[in-house]
Amino acid sequence: MTFPLWLALVGSGFVISLTPGAGAIFAMSNAIAHGWRRSIWGILGQQVALLVHILVVAAGVGALVAGSPVLFAVIRYVGAAYLIYLGVRQILAKPVEPASDDLEMLAPPQSAWTMFRRGVLVNLTNPKAIVFFLAFVPQFIRPDLPLVEQYTVLVLTVFAIDIAVMWFVFAAAARAIARLTRSVKGQRVLSRVFGGLFIGVGVLLAAVH
């Protein structure tokens, strides 16, 4: 993986990890209920699920590379278009009326293993993740270079970014972010910001390889 492409991976990884989703909500709820330090166990569980998704996608992408480099290129550009589509959909998404403003719904104490296991399940049971990674992964893979090294760099980079964002952003600022996502105005702001970022990432990845 070239250095410019790796920088694009880092930038894209931060945008994607910063976009609120099931994983971010899980990290925030753990931090609110069990404390910032202990929330790391759920975040580590999420990384195991991410690894499974990437391995599944890598197996399919590897078959495409071996069979048809042209088809691989088509998948890459379609993937970039899908990221742009996600951005447009994020901007147009209607905010959900908050059901409650109670941020102190503390759960009973959970063991590290319980939080880890639930973290795995939160990401593993999201079928959209496979589709997303099928769009995302090919943007950073060069079919003419050794695949193992490229996937190793990709996985380590994605893990480092996701852990940093989930723990030091969402979990650390759990209460403030939770309040923002529970207001209609806050949801609109987040949708527009992250939708625009997704569109920018899609355009960037279509141009840089």
Side-chain angles (χ1 to χ4, degrees):
M1 184 179 295
T2 63
F3 185 67
L5 190 59
W6 181 78
L7 288 179
L9 172 61
V10 171
S12 303
F14 272 108
V15 169
I16 291 164
S17 290
L18 283 167
T19 303
I25 294 171
F26 180 72
M28 288 190 295
S29 64
N30 272 342
I32 292 172
H34 308 293
W36 175 72
R37 290 185 179 181
R38 299 194 71 239
S39 68
I40 187 62
W41 295 109
I43 294 168
L44 292 176
Q46 291 174 257
Q47 306 315 304
V48 173
L50 287 182
L51 177 60
V52 173
H53 287 313
I54 292 174
L55 290 176
V56 170
V57 171
V61 170
L64 287 176
V65 171
S68 173
V70 174
L71 182 58
F72 176 80
V74 170
I75 291 292
R76 190 173 73 82
Y77 285 112
V78 170
Y82 177 68
L83 295 178
I84 295 173
Y85 160 75
L86 289 180
V88 173
R89 192 177 68 173
Q90 182 84 16
I91 292 173
L92 298 178
K94 294 182 179 180
V96 178
E97 193 66 33
S100 171
D101 292 326
D102 182 12
L103 300 178
E104 301 298 334
M105 297 185 298
L106 299 182
Q110 295 179 359
S111 66
W113 168 246
T114 298
M115 286 191 284
F116 180 86
R117 176 171 51 83
R118 289 184 177 178
V120 174
L121 293 176
V122 164
N123 275 0
L124 200 60
T125 55
N126 181 8
K128 293 181 180 179
I130 291 288
V131 178
F132 178 80
F133 275 111
L134 185 58
F136 180 74
V137 170
Q139 313 300 325
F140 304 99
I141 301 299
R142 290 276 301 273
D144 56 322
L145 297 176
L147 295 179
V148 174
E149 289 85 348
Q150 294 182 79
Y151 277 110
T152 300
V153 172
L154 186 145
V155 167
L156 293 178
T157 302
V158 169
F159 278 13
I161 291 171
D162 199 59
I163 291 173
V165 169
M166 291 297 159
W167 204 27
F168 291 103
V169 176
F170 287 115
R175 285 179 172 79
I177 295 174
R179 288 191 181 94
L180 185 60
T181 59
R182 292 188 184 191
S183 73
V184 171
K185 182 178 179 180
Q187 290 178 49
R188 285 200 182 104
V189 171
L190 288 177
S191 292
R192 290 168 182 171
V193 169
F194 289 109
L197 290 174
F198 259 118
I199 292 172
V201 167
V203 172
L204 175 66
L205 295 182
V208 178
H209 199 255

PDB file of all heavy atoms in Angstrom, residues 14 17-18 24 27-28 36 43 161-177 194:
ATOM      1  N   PHE A  14     -11.297   7.474   9.869  1.00  0.00           N
ATOM      2  CA  PHE A  14     -11.775   8.382  10.903  1.00  0.00           C
ATOM      3  C   PHE A  14     -13.193   8.859  10.605  1.00  0.00           C
ATOM      4  O   PHE A  14     -14.045   8.914  11.504  1.00  0.00           O
ATOM      5  CB  PHE A  14     -10.834   9.582  11.044  1.00  0.00           C
ATOM      6  CG  PHE A  14      -9.714   9.345  12.009  1.00  0.00           C
ATOM      7  CD1 PHE A  14      -8.417   9.168  11.557  1.00  0.00           C
ATOM      8  CD2 PHE A  14      -9.958   9.294  13.371  1.00  0.00           C
ATOM      9  CE1 PHE A  14      -7.373   8.943  12.450  1.00  0.00           C
ATOM     10  CE2 PHE A  14      -8.921   9.069  14.268  1.00  0.00           C
ATOM     11  CZ  PHE A  14      -7.623   8.888  13.809  1.00  0.00           C
ATOM     12  N   SER A  17     -15.567   5.836  11.286  1.00  0.00           N
ATOM     13  CA  SER A  17     -15.694   5.513  12.711  1.00  0.00           C
ATOM     14  C   SER A  17     -16.430   6.615  13.471  1.00  0.00           C
ATOM     15  O   SER A  17     -17.135   6.341  14.447  1.00  0.00           O
ATOM     16  CB  SER A  17     -14.313   5.287  13.331  1.00  0.00           C
ATOM     17  OG  SER A  17     -13.727   4.095  12.852  1.00  0.00           O
ATOM     18  N   LEU A  18     -16.266   7.867  13.043  1.00  0.00           N
ATOM     19  CA  LEU A  18     -16.912   8.986  13.718  1.00  0.00           C
ATOM     20  C   LEU A  18     -18.394   9.097  13.401  1.00  0.00           C
ATOM     21  O   LEU A  18     -19.127   9.815  14.074  1.00  0.00           O
ATOM     22  CB  LEU A  18     -16.217  10.297  13.361  1.00  0.00           C
ATOM     23  CG  LEU A  18     -14.880  10.566  14.058  1.00  0.00           C
ATOM     24  CD1 LEU A  18     -14.141  11.713  13.390  1.00  0.00           C
ATOM     25  CD2 LEU A  18     -15.087  10.855  15.541  1.00  0.00           C
ATOM     26  N   ALA A  24     -21.198   2.912  17.923  1.00  0.00           N
ATOM     27  CA  ALA A  24     -21.016   4.123  18.733  1.00  0.00           C
ATOM     28  C   ALA A  24     -22.023   4.163  19.876  1.00  0.00           C
ATOM     29  O   ALA A  24     -21.683   4.509  21.017  1.00  0.00           O
ATOM     30  CB  ALA A  24     -21.164   5.358  17.855  1.00  0.00           C
ATOM     31  N   ALA A  27     -20.927   1.733  22.544  1.00  0.00           N
ATOM     32  CA  ALA A  27     -19.800   2.257  23.321  1.00  0.00           C
ATOM     33  C   ALA A  27     -20.261   3.325  24.302  1.00  0.00           C
ATOM     34  O   ALA A  27     -19.817   3.357  25.458  1.00  0.00           O
ATOM     35  CB  ALA A  27     -18.734   2.821  22.381  1.00  0.00           C
ATOM     36  N   MET A  28     -21.166   4.208  23.860  1.00  0.00           N
ATOM     37  CA  MET A  28     -21.667   5.253  24.739  1.00  0.00           C
ATOM     38  C   MET A  28     -22.473   4.683  25.897  1.00  0.00           C
ATOM     39  O   MET A  28     -22.326   5.105  27.047  1.00  0.00           O
ATOM     40  CB  MET A  28     -22.517   6.247  23.939  1.00  0.00           C
ATOM     41  CG  MET A  28     -21.710   7.149  23.013  1.00  0.00           C
ATOM     42  SD  MET A  28     -22.699   8.497  22.297  1.00  0.00           S
ATOM     43  CE  MET A  28     -23.847   7.590  21.286  1.00  0.00           C
ATOM     44  N   TRP A  36     -15.985   4.765  31.820  1.00  0.00           N
ATOM     45  CA  TRP A  36     -15.172   4.879  30.596  1.00  0.00           C
ATOM     46  C   TRP A  36     -14.141   3.760  30.474  1.00  0.00           C
ATOM     47  O   TRP A  36     -13.993   3.160  29.414  1.00  0.00           O
ATOM     48  CB  TRP A  36     -14.469   6.235  30.580  1.00  0.00           C
ATOM     49  CG  TRP A  36     -13.529   6.400  29.430  1.00  0.00           C
ATOM     50  CD1 TRP A  36     -13.870   6.579  28.126  1.00  0.00           C
ATOM     51  CD2 TRP A  36     -12.109   6.367  29.478  1.00  0.00           C
ATOM     52  NE1 TRP A  36     -12.739   6.674  27.342  1.00  0.00           N
ATOM     53  CE2 TRP A  36     -11.639   6.545  28.159  1.00  0.00           C
ATOM     54  CE3 TRP A  36     -11.183   6.210  30.507  1.00  0.00           C
ATOM     55  CZ2 TRP A  36     -10.285   6.566  27.842  1.00  0.00           C
ATOM     56  CZ3 TRP A  36      -9.828   6.241  30.196  1.00  0.00           C
ATOM     57  CH2 TRP A  36      -9.393   6.418  28.878  1.00  0.00           C
ATOM     58  N   ILE A  43     -15.704  -2.466  23.225  1.00  0.00           N
ATOM     59  CA  ILE A  43     -15.070  -1.948  22.011  1.00  0.00           C
ATOM     60  C   ILE A  43     -14.143  -2.996  21.397  1.00  0.00           C
ATOM     61  O   ILE A  43     -14.101  -3.169  20.170  1.00  0.00           O
ATOM     62  CB  ILE A  43     -14.313  -0.649  22.325  1.00  0.00           C
ATOM     63  CG1 ILE A  43     -15.312   0.451  22.719  1.00  0.00           C
ATOM     64  CG2 ILE A  43     -13.469  -0.200  21.141  1.00  0.00           C
ATOM     65  CD1 ILE A  43     -14.674   1.688  23.314  1.00  0.00           C
ATOM     66  N   ILE A 161      -7.803   2.950  14.466  1.00  0.00           N
ATOM     67  CA  ILE A 161      -8.682   4.117  14.341  1.00  0.00           C
ATOM     68  C   ILE A 161      -9.995   3.884  15.073  1.00  0.00           C
ATOM     69  O   ILE A 161     -10.477   4.741  15.829  1.00  0.00           O
ATOM     70  CB  ILE A 161      -8.942   4.437  12.856  1.00  0.00           C
ATOM     71  CG1 ILE A 161      -7.662   4.943  12.198  1.00  0.00           C
ATOM     72  CG2 ILE A 161     -10.064   5.468  12.712  1.00  0.00           C
ATOM     73  CD1 ILE A 161      -7.769   5.076  10.698  1.00  0.00           C
ATOM     74  N   ASP A 162     -10.591   2.709  14.868  1.00  0.00           N
ATOM     75  CA  ASP A 162     -11.901   2.447  15.461  1.00  0.00           C
ATOM     76  C   ASP A 162     -11.827   2.410  16.988  1.00  0.00           C
ATOM     77  O   ASP A 162     -12.703   2.940  17.679  1.00  0.00           O
ATOM     78  CB  ASP A 162     -12.469   1.134  14.925  1.00  0.00           C
ATOM     79  CG  ASP A 162     -13.970   1.037  15.127  1.00  0.00           C
ATOM     80  OD1 ASP A 162     -14.697   1.912  14.607  1.00  0.00           O
ATOM     81  OD2 ASP A 162     -14.433   0.103  15.823  1.00  0.00           O
ATOM     82  N   ILE A 163     -10.785   1.788  17.524  1.00  0.00           N
ATOM     83  CA  ILE A 163     -10.625   1.749  18.978  1.00  0.00           C
ATOM     84  C   ILE A 163     -10.440   3.159  19.524  1.00  0.00           C
ATOM     85  O   ILE A 163     -11.048   3.548  20.534  1.00  0.00           O
ATOM     86  CB  ILE A 163      -9.437   0.849  19.371  1.00  0.00           C
ATOM     87  CG1 ILE A 163      -9.764  -0.623  19.079  1.00  0.00           C
ATOM     88  CG2 ILE A 163      -9.101   1.025  20.854  1.00  0.00           C
ATOM     89  CD1 ILE A 163      -8.583  -1.561  19.271  1.00  0.00           C
ATOM     90  N   ALA A 164      -9.595   3.952  18.860  1.00  0.00           N
ATOM     91  CA  ALA A 164      -9.347   5.323  19.317  1.00  0.00           C
ATOM     92  C   ALA A 164     -10.624   6.155  19.298  1.00  0.00           C
ATOM     93  O   ALA A 164     -10.927   6.877  20.262  1.00  0.00           O
ATOM     94  CB  ALA A 164      -8.273   5.972  18.439  1.00  0.00           C
ATOM     95  N   VAL A 165     -11.397   6.052  18.222  1.00  0.00           N
ATOM     96  CA  VAL A 165     -12.612   6.855  18.099  1.00  0.00           C
ATOM     97  C   VAL A 165     -13.675   6.382  19.089  1.00  0.00           C
ATOM     98  O   VAL A 165     -14.306   7.195  19.783  1.00  0.00           O
ATOM     99  CB  VAL A 165     -13.153   6.798  16.653  1.00  0.00           C
ATOM    100  CG1 VAL A 165     -14.555   7.408  16.582  1.00  0.00           C
ATOM    101  CG2 VAL A 165     -12.215   7.537  15.714  1.00  0.00           C
ATOM    102  N   MET A 166     -13.878   5.067  19.158  1.00  0.00           N
ATOM    103  CA  MET A 166     -14.926   4.552  20.045  1.00  0.00           C
ATOM    104  C   MET A 166     -14.624   4.851  21.509  1.00  0.00           C
ATOM    105  O   MET A 166     -15.522   5.182  22.288  1.00  0.00           O
ATOM    106  CB  MET A 166     -15.093   3.035  19.843  1.00  0.00           C
ATOM    107  CG  MET A 166     -15.677   2.643  18.519  1.00  0.00           C
ATOM    108  SD  MET A 166     -17.362   3.276  18.295  1.00  0.00           S
ATOM    109  CE  MET A 166     -17.492   3.227  16.506  1.00  0.00           C
ATOM    110  N   TRP A 167     -13.356   4.740  21.892  1.00  0.00           N
ATOM    111  CA  TRP A 167     -13.004   4.891  23.305  1.00  0.00           C
ATOM    112  C   TRP A 167     -12.765   6.344  23.696  1.00  0.00           C
ATOM    113  O   TRP A 167     -13.265   6.816  24.719  1.00  0.00           O
ATOM    114  CB  TRP A 167     -11.778   4.042  23.634  1.00  0.00           C
ATOM    115  CG  TRP A 167     -11.673   3.657  25.086  1.00  0.00           C
ATOM    116  CD1 TRP A 167     -12.701   3.512  25.966  1.00  0.00           C
ATOM    117  CD2 TRP A 167     -10.479   3.368  25.812  1.00  0.00           C
ATOM    118  NE1 TRP A 167     -12.229   3.135  27.198  1.00  0.00           N
ATOM    119  CE2 TRP A 167     -10.865   3.040  27.143  1.00  0.00           C
ATOM    120  CE3 TRP A 167      -9.131   3.340  25.473  1.00  0.00           C
ATOM    121  CZ2 TRP A 167      -9.943   2.695  28.128  1.00  0.00           C
ATOM    122  CZ3 TRP A 167      -8.208   2.982  26.463  1.00  0.00           C
ATOM    123  CH2 TRP A 167      -8.613   2.668  27.765  1.00  0.00           C
ATOM    124  N   PHE A 168     -12.005   7.065  22.863  1.00  0.00           N
ATOM    125  CA  PHE A 168     -11.606   8.422  23.235  1.00  0.00           C
ATOM    126  C   PHE A 168     -12.562   9.499  22.748  1.00  0.00           C
ATOM    127  O   PHE A 168     -12.433  10.658  23.140  1.00  0.00           O
ATOM    128  CB  PHE A 168     -10.197   8.713  22.726  1.00  0.00           C
ATOM    129  CG  PHE A 168      -9.134   7.924  23.427  1.00  0.00           C
ATOM    130  CD1 PHE A 168      -8.556   6.830  22.805  1.00  0.00           C
ATOM    131  CD2 PHE A 168      -8.726   8.247  24.710  1.00  0.00           C
ATOM    132  CE1 PHE A 168      -7.568   6.078  23.449  1.00  0.00           C
ATOM    133  CE2 PHE A 168      -7.755   7.507  25.360  1.00  0.00           C
ATOM    134  CZ  PHE A 168      -7.174   6.418  24.730  1.00  0.00           C
ATOM    135  N   VAL A 169     -13.499   9.143  21.857  1.00  0.00           N
ATOM    136  CA  VAL A 169     -14.477  10.126  21.401  1.00  0.00           C
ATOM    137  C   VAL A 169     -15.865   9.780  21.940  1.00  0.00           C
ATOM    138  O   VAL A 169     -16.423  10.489  22.775  1.00  0.00           O
ATOM    139  CB  VAL A 169     -14.505  10.224  19.859  1.00  0.00           C
ATOM    140  CG1 VAL A 169     -15.614  11.195  19.416  1.00  0.00           C
ATOM    141  CG2 VAL A 169     -13.161  10.691  19.326  1.00  0.00           C
ATOM    142  N   PHE A 170     -16.422   8.646  21.462  1.00  0.00           N
ATOM    143  CA  PHE A 170     -17.797   8.318  21.839  1.00  0.00           C
ATOM    144  C   PHE A 170     -17.921   7.947  23.318  1.00  0.00           C
ATOM    145  O   PHE A 170     -18.797   8.469  24.015  1.00  0.00           O
ATOM    146  CB  PHE A 170     -18.329   7.190  20.960  1.00  0.00           C
ATOM    147  CG  PHE A 170     -18.629   7.626  19.559  1.00  0.00           C
ATOM    148  CD1 PHE A 170     -17.907   7.126  18.491  1.00  0.00           C
ATOM    149  CD2 PHE A 170     -19.627   8.552  19.312  1.00  0.00           C
ATOM    150  CE1 PHE A 170     -18.173   7.538  17.191  1.00  0.00           C
ATOM    151  CE2 PHE A 170     -19.905   8.973  18.019  1.00  0.00           C
ATOM    152  CZ  PHE A 170     -19.175   8.463  16.959  1.00  0.00           C
ATOM    153  N   ALA A 171     -17.068   7.032  23.791  1.00  0.00           N
ATOM    154  CA  ALA A 171     -17.168   6.630  25.197  1.00  0.00           C
ATOM    155  C   ALA A 171     -16.794   7.779  26.134  1.00  0.00           C
ATOM    156  O   ALA A 171     -17.443   7.991  27.156  1.00  0.00           O
ATOM    157  CB  ALA A 171     -16.271   5.413  25.457  1.00  0.00           C
ATOM    158  N   ALA A 172     -15.757   8.536  25.782  1.00  0.00           N
ATOM    159  CA  ALA A 172     -15.296   9.625  26.652  1.00  0.00           C
ATOM    160  C   ALA A 172     -16.311  10.764  26.729  1.00  0.00           C
ATOM    161  O   ALA A 172     -16.471  11.407  27.764  1.00  0.00           O
ATOM    162  CB  ALA A 172     -13.948  10.152  26.167  1.00  0.00           C
ATOM    163  N   ALA A 173     -16.989  11.018  25.612  1.00  0.00           N
ATOM    164  CA  ALA A 173     -17.959  12.116  25.580  1.00  0.00           C
ATOM    165  C   ALA A 173     -19.388  11.588  25.534  1.00  0.00           C
ATOM    166  O   ALA A 173     -20.271  12.188  24.927  1.00  0.00           O
ATOM    167  CB  ALA A 173     -17.689  13.017  24.374  1.00  0.00           C
ATOM    168  N   ALA A 174     -19.611  10.445  26.173  1.00  0.00           N
ATOM    169  CA  ALA A 174     -20.882   9.732  26.050  1.00  0.00           C
ATOM    170  C   ALA A 174     -22.089  10.611  26.362  1.00  0.00           C
ATOM    171  O   ALA A 174     -23.048  10.668  25.593  1.00  0.00           O
ATOM    172  CB  ALA A 174     -20.874   8.499  26.958  1.00  0.00           C
ATOM    173  N   ARG A 175     -22.070  11.292  27.459  1.00  0.00           N
ATOM    174  CA  ARG A 175     -23.258  12.057  27.863  1.00  0.00           C
ATOM    175  C   ARG A 175     -23.538  13.222  26.912  1.00  0.00           C
ATOM    176  O   ARG A 175     -24.682  13.460  26.528  1.00  0.00           O
ATOM    177  CB  ARG A 175     -23.086  12.552  29.303  1.00  0.00           C
ATOM    178  CG  ARG A 175     -23.273  11.439  30.326  1.00  0.00           C
ATOM    179  CD  ARG A 175     -23.078  11.959  31.739  1.00  0.00           C
ATOM    180  NE  ARG A 175     -23.437  10.945  32.722  1.00  0.00           N
ATOM    181  CZ  ARG A 175     -22.665   9.926  33.081  1.00  0.00           C
ATOM    182  NH1 ARG A 175     -21.479   9.779  32.511  1.00  0.00           N
ATOM    183  NH2 ARG A 175     -23.063   9.035  33.972  1.00  0.00           N
ATOM    184  N   ALA A 176     -22.495  13.939  26.531  1.00  0.00           N
ATOM    185  CA  ALA A 176     -22.692  15.085  25.632  1.00  0.00           C
ATOM    186  C   ALA A 176     -23.204  14.633  24.269  1.00  0.00           C
ATOM    187  O   ALA A 176     -24.125  15.229  23.703  1.00  0.00           O
ATOM    188  CB  ALA A 176     -21.391  15.857  25.478  1.00  0.00           C
ATOM    189  N   ILE A 177     -22.590  13.557  23.721  1.00  0.00           N
ATOM    190  CA  ILE A 177     -23.005  13.060  22.410  1.00  0.00           C
ATOM    191  C   ILE A 177     -24.404  12.481  22.476  1.00  0.00           C
ATOM    192  O   ILE A 177     -25.217  12.654  21.562  1.00  0.00           O
ATOM    193  CB  ILE A 177     -21.997  12.017  21.896  1.00  0.00           C
ATOM    194  CG1 ILE A 177     -20.638  12.682  21.655  1.00  0.00           C
ATOM    195  CG2 ILE A 177     -22.495  11.376  20.603  1.00  0.00           C
ATOM    196  CD1 ILE A 177     -19.543  11.723  21.281  1.00  0.00           C
ATOM    197  N   PHE A 194     -21.993  14.391   8.676  1.00  0.00           N
ATOM    198  CA  PHE A 194     -21.430  13.098   8.312  1.00  0.00           C
ATOM    199  C   PHE A 194     -21.858  12.651   6.919  1.00  0.00           C
ATOM    200  O   PHE A 194     -21.128  11.940   6.241  1.00  0.00           O
ATOM    201  CB  PHE A 194     -21.799  12.056   9.364  1.00  0.00           C
ATOM    202  CG  PHE A 194     -21.084  12.265  10.664  1.00  0.00           C
ATOM    203  CD1 PHE A 194     -21.759  12.706  11.784  1.00  0.00           C
ATOM    204  CD2 PHE A 194     -19.726  12.055  10.756  1.00  0.00           C
ATOM    205  CE1 PHE A 194     -21.104  12.922  12.985  1.00  0.00           C
ATOM    206  CE2 PHE A 194     -19.048  12.272  11.945  1.00  0.00           C
ATOM    207  CZ  PHE A 194     -19.735  12.706  13.061  1.00  0.00           C
TER     208      PHE A 194
END
